[in-house]
């Protein structure tokens, strides 16, 4: 079953907290950021946004744009308290939720979705629970890839619920800068090439995209084609990544090796380009004896080839054994941050095309 992710993002969070504390503010343009004239706006409610006020706008400019606005200083302890309340509600839906910032979180809702008639009903239930229990409004995006879930939560703000069933249909009409990572620096490159929407990029040949926009262009393309589906984000302090599978039917060594290879592939996806120095495999026999073997590499490596080569080498180093195998696993540890290289993307793309 594919992982299903919900991304929840609070609507104009700081000003919503201020409006909750002082209901007299409701209906008025509220800008949180500074008491005097120094600094920038942290956030503006939707009323203030109608005047063109946006976050990161210098306060002096915001006052010009919206003279009747209510300008408030930042009350961080208040927002932190409200944030905790929101996360408490969300953690009932996924105790392992991943909080990204003060006002947003990813939830693994794979299992939860089975309790609802539809993904939409589930997303609405999450939104309603937050609203009823905290008095604060949020927007929810649901998709099988967390990047799409995040784009989706922004799609119908404020108070919106968006379910992505089809990556291509959803992304095609969107401006390309809606994809996280396409920012101020790269956007002009797309515009120069006549690309405004993700759909425009999809009409290009894959290799032309790579030539012109490199890894990022390819990433956008793959996202839209459903070839990338990232699950839950992984905590920065995670020390190891592993995948294992228990089978219902005990396996021969040959079958176990095939499963081990598919686990290596999943593991490579989990790693999202990180480097590793240690690889461990685990084998459990039908009689429950479990053995592990590991190797520490002379230097950091990454990628599917390194994982599978080392895992298979460890597997073949096991003494031949007539017992059937009921579990195999592979793990990488001693990790270092890293991004996927273009070469790795191409290798994976070649794999996908094969
Ligand atoms: P966002 O979720 O980006 O913005 P928002 O919640 O105000 O509005 P939206 O409805 O579009 O989600 O950021 C969450 C909070 O983080 C925001 O209320 C204030 C703070 N923040 C800053 O302090 N500085 C900034 O530049 C931004 C973007 C946000
Ligand atoms: Mg927000």
């Amino acid at each position: 079953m594919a992982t299903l992710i919900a991304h929840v993002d609070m609507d104009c969070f700081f000003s919503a907290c201020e409006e909750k504390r002082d209901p007299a503010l409701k209906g008025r343009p509220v800008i949180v950021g500074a008491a005097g004239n120094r600094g920038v706006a942290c956030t503006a409610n939707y009323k203030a946004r109608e005047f063109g006020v946006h976050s990161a706008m210098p306060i002096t400019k915001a006052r010009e744009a919206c003279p009747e606005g209510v300008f408030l200083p930042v009350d961080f302890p208040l927002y932190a308290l409200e944030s905790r309340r929101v996360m408490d509600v969300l953690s009932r839906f996924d105790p392992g939720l991943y909080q990204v910032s003060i006002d947003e979180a990813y939830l693994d809702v794979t299992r939860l979705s089975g309790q609802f008639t539809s993904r939409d009903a589930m997303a609405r239930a999450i939104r309603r629970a937050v609203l009823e229990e905290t008095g604060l409004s949020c927007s929810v995006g649901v998709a099988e890839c967390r990047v799409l879930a995040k784009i989706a939560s922004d799609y119908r703000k404020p108070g919106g619920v968006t379910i992505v069933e089809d990556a291509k249909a959803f992304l095609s009409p969107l401006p390309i800068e809606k994809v996280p990572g396409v920012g101020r620096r790269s956007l002009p490159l797309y515009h120069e090439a006549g690309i405004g929407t993700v759909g425009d990029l999809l009409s290009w040949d894959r290799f032309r995209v790579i030539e012109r926009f490199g890894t990022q262009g390819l990433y956008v393309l793959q996202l839209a084609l459903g070839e990338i589906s990232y699950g839950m984000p992984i905590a920065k302090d995670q020390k190891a990544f592993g995948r294992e599978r228990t089978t219902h039917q005990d396996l021969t060594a040959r079958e176990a090796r095939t499963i081990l290879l598919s686990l290596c592939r999943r593991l490579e996806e989990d790693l999202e380009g990180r480097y590793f120095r240690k690889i461990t495999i685990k084998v459990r026999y039908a009689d429950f004896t479990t053995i592990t073997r590991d190797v520490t590499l002379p230097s950091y490596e990454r990628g599917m080839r390194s994982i599978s080569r080392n895992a298979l080498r460890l597997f073949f180093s096991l003494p031949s054994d007539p017992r059937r195998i009921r579990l195999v696993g592979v793990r990488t540890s001693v990790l270092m941050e890293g991004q996927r290289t273009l070469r790795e993307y191409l290798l994976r793309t070649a794999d996908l095309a094969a």
Side-chain angles (χ1 to χ4, degrees):
M1 187 167 43
T3 309
L4 196 65
I5 309 283
H7 181 258
V8 179
D9 190 295
M10 304 306 292
D11 299 324
C12 36
F13 184 56
F14 290 4
S15 29
C17 295
E18 296 289 352
E19 286 170 48
K20 178 180 172 183
R21 169 164 58 189
D22 178 6
L25 293 172
K26 285 216 167 72
R28 302 181 63 189
V30 177
I31 298 108
V32 177
N37 273 331
R38 299 226 313 271
V40 298
C42 288
T43 193
N45 68 359
Y46 283 83
K47 192 83 197 148
R49 289 182 201 189
E50 286 171 17
F51 292 83
V53 181
H54 55 82
S55 49
M57 185 185 241
I59 287 293
T60 45
K61 278 195 95 175
R63 281 189 195 278
E64 271 170 43
C66 185
E68 61 263 56
V70 183
F71 288 79
L72 299 171
V74 177
D75 182 355
F76 207 75
L78 173 69
Y79 316 142
L81 177 74
E82 294 293 354
S83 174
R84 257 200 311 282
R85 289 188 174 137
V86 169
M87 297 302 154
D88 280 349
V89 176
L90 294 179
S91 62
R92 284 211 316 271
F93 295 95
D94 174 16
L97 68 86
Y98 186 94
Q99 187 178 346
V100 191
S101 73
I102 191 161
D103 88 323
E104 61 180 310
Y106 291 100
L107 279 63
D108 183 338
V109 290
T110 314
R111 282 186 178 205
L112 184 71
S113 66
Q115 298 171 24
F116 290 87
T117 49
S118 69
R119 293 177 178 182
D120 189 73
M122 173 186 68
R124 284 178 199 286
I126 296 172
R127 193 186 122 63
R128 202 176 328 112
V130 173
L131 187 61
E132 282 173 4
E133 292 174 49
T134 71
L136 297 167
S137 170
C138 65
S139 297
V140 184
V142 176
E144 285 175 15
C145 168
R146 70 164 185 265
V147 186
L148 294 174
K150 183 169 168 75
I151 301 172
S153 74
D154 188 55
Y155 188 67
R156 293 199 175 93
K157 257 184 181 294
V161 163
T162 303
I163 315 300
V164 182
E165 303 283 359
D166 179 338
K168 194 169 169 182
F170 173 65
L171 285 183
S172 288
L174 294 188
I176 194 145
E177 65 270 25
K178 289 286 179 188
V179 177
V182 180
R184 246 181 318 168
R185 260 187 304 159
S186 51
L187 189 58
L189 300 178
Y190 292 97
H191 286 171
E192 275 162 33
I195 291 169
T197 63
V198 176
D200 295 337
L201 189 72
L202 278 168
S203 68
W204 281 40
D205 171 76
R206 190 182 288 252
F207 292 97
R208 237 179 104 210
V209 170
I210 295 167
E211 204 171 58
R212 183 97 183 220
F213 307 108
T215 318
Q216 189 192 73
L218 184 61
Y219 167 74
V220 177
L221 199 68
Q222 289 196 298
L223 201 59
L225 292 172
E227 291 175 4
I228 291 177
S229 70
Y230 290 151
M232 286 292 280
I234 284 139
K236 288 182 186 68
D237 56 358
Q238 182 161 344
K239 297 278 185 285
F241 287 81
R243 283 268 179 183
E244 58 181 53
R245 192 184 302 163
T246 310
T247 57
H248 299 299
Q249 254 180 333
D250 295 341
L251 307 166
T252 62
R254 203 189 168 84
E255 290 162 340
R257 193 188 61 195
T258 308
I259 289 184
L260 185 63
L261 262 182
S262 73
L263 293 174
C264 289
R265 192 174 297 276
R266 302 280 293 277
L267 181 58
E268 194 261 342
E269 280 174 19
D270 296 343
L271 282 164
E272 292 178 6
R274 289 174 184 84
Y275 292 83
F276 49 82
R277 272 198 72 184
K278 188 170 175 183
I279 295 191
T280 310
I281 64 155
K282 178 160 130 187
V283 172
R284 178 168 300 146
Y285 292 101
D287 62 4
F288 281 85
T289 353
T290 306
I291 51 173
T292 62
R293 290 282 184 280
D294 62 65
V295 57
T296 298
L297 307 170
S299 61
Y300 282 97
E301 290 187 18
R302 64 175 168 186
M304 173 61 188
R305 294 195 175 192
S306 172
I307 300 171
S308 55
R309 193 182 56 233
N310 287 296
L312 284 180
R313 195 173 289 164
L314 291 169
F315 187 74
F316 287 127
S317 75
L318 298 174
S320 90
D321 195 308
R323 283 175 297 179
R324 293 271 172 148
I325 294 169
R326 68 186 319 268
L327 174 149
V328 278
V330 55
R331 210 168 89 101
T332 48
S333 52
V334 192
L335 303 170
M336 188 167 78
E337 276 304 319
Q339 295 258 309
R340 274 208 191 102
T341 62
L342 187 54
R343 188 172 166 274
E344 281 162 354
Y345 265 109
L346 289 171
L347 285 172
R348 276 171 48 79
T349 310
D351 283 351
L352 288 166

